[in-house]
């Protein structure tokens, strides 16, 4: 298939191989919704020169035959990338990579590999599970309570920019994975509560403003960085 129309006038180009994998190498102007089943890879590249683009991925869980669900790579440029349907619940995807000006994550995501998000990310009431590392390279806004879990593969959970929002966040990295905050937590909007259920080491490079902090016993070290350190208005519980 050489081309199709998005909206009324804009055309883009894409390829579908014999296995049903989709590759969109061209620019996307307008809104686009994609759906892919098990054993499929979606690859989208919308150059950063575009503006106002909106890309929604709705990739079903896939079949129950145990086959791998394929990877998803999205580059929405200066636009918006949204995950509005559960991905990989019964047949996990491999890797998930999303690059966009704004990333909206509102549904459960399960992968067997790494997840990387580059762009301001809004998390809303979701459970994110990865057997590899999960990395957020830009600001994360908590628009609902949720959990991020890499304990199945002892992956590292990394936040490379600020985390804000009045909701509850639970993190699980297993006995050998790390949890790393490389920027202030709750400095603009105090995080409602943060629970560290499992990790080897947890690091807050620039401290955290929270309502509640709950840390289960960990196998390594906890570091609360520079001022304010660990600042909670309600309770702090650290198991030893």
């Amino acid at each position: 298939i050489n081309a199709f129309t998005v909206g009324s006038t804009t055309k883009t180009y894409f390829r579908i191989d014999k296995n049903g994998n989709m590759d969109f190498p061209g620019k996307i102007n307008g809104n686009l919704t994609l759906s892919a089943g098990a054993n499929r890879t979606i690859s989208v590249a919308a150059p950063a020169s575009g503006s106002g683009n909106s890309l929604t991925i709705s990739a079903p869980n896939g079949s129950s035959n145990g086959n791998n669900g394929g990877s998803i790579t999205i580059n929405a440029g200066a636009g918006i990338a949204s995950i509005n349907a559960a991905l990989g619940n019964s047949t996990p995807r491999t890797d998930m990579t999303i690059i966009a000006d704004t990333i909206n994550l509102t549904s459960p995501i399960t992968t067997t590999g790494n997840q990387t998000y580059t762009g301001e990310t809004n998390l809303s009431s979701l459970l994110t599970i990865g057997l590899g590392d999960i990395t957020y390279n830009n600001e994360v806004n908590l628009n609902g309570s949720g959990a991020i879990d890499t304990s199945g593969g002892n992956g590292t959970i990394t936040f490379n920019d600020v985390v804000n929002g009045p909701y509850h966040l639970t993190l699980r990295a297993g006995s050998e994975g790390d949890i790393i905050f490389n920027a202030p937590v709750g400095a603009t909007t105090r995080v409602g509560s943060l629970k560290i259920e499992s990790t080897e080491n947890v690091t807050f490079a620039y401290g955290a403003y929270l309502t509640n902090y709950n840390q289960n016993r960990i196998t390594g070290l906890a570091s609360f960085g520079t001022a304010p350190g660990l600042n909670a208005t309600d309770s702090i519980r650290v198991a030893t």
Side-chain angles (χ1 to χ4, degrees):
I1 299 175
N2 294 322
F4 71 103
T5 300
V6 179
S8 59
T9 59
T10 302
K11 293 183 179 180
T12 188
Y13 299 88
F14 69 98
R15 296 184 291 267
I16 301 178
D17 67 19
K18 65 181 181 180
N19 296 316
N21 298 312
M22 294 182 287
D23 178 20
F24 290 75
K27 182 177 179 179
I28 297 173
N29 288 325
N31 301 329
L32 176 64
T33 299
L34 302 177
S35 178
N39 295 310
R40 301 295 180 263
T41 295
I42 299 174
S43 179
V44 179
S49 59
S51 63
N53 302 327
S54 175
L55 177 63
T56 300
I57 296 295
S58 176
N61 294 328
S63 63
S64 59
N65 60 8
N67 291 334
N68 193 285
S71 65
I72 295 180
T73 300
I74 303 165
N75 185 339
I80 300 169
S82 301
I83 305 297
N84 291 334
L87 298 183
N89 281 5
S90 59
T91 303
R93 300 276 155 176
T94 50
D95 296 325
M96 167 81 77
T97 301
I98 300 180
I99 302 170
D101 185 69
T102 302
I103 301 170
N104 297 316
L105 304 179
T106 62
S107 298
I109 300 170
T110 304
T111 63
T112 59
N114 299 326
Q115 297 181 29
T116 304
Y117 303 94
T118 300
E120 182 174 351
T121 302
N122 300 309
L123 303 181
S124 301
S125 303
L126 81 159
L127 172 63
T128 300
I129 299 175
L131 299 185
D133 300 332
I134 297 180
T135 303
Y136 301 90
N137 285 318
N138 295 91
E139 179 177 356
V140 171
N141 303 306
L142 303 179
N143 294 335
S145 298
I148 301 170
D149 188 341
T150 61
S151 61
N154 290 310
T156 293
I157 301 170
T158 303
F159 298 89
N160 285 321
D161 206 335
V162 296
V163 178
N164 289 295
Y167 293 94
H168 176 80
L169 179 62
T170 298
L171 302 176
R172 310 180 190 102
S175 60
E176 298 178 6
D178 291 340
I179 297 172
I180 303 170
F181 294 90
N182 284 322
V185 175
T188 301
T189 303
R190 188 180 290 269
V191 171
S193 63
L194 179 63
K195 184 175 184 180
I196 308 295
E197 288 198 347
S198 65
T199 186
E200 181 172 12
N201 303 296
V202 57
T203 300
F204 295 84
Y206 296 94
Y209 293 91
L210 312 165
T211 300
N212 299 288
Y213 181 76
N214 189 338
Q215 177 186 303
N216 289 352
R217 184 174 182 178
I218 66 176
T219 57
L221 300 175
S223 173
F224 299 103
T226 60
L230 189 57
N231 182 305
T233 58
D234 190 353
S235 64
I236 297 175
R237 176 186 175 275
V238 178
T240 58

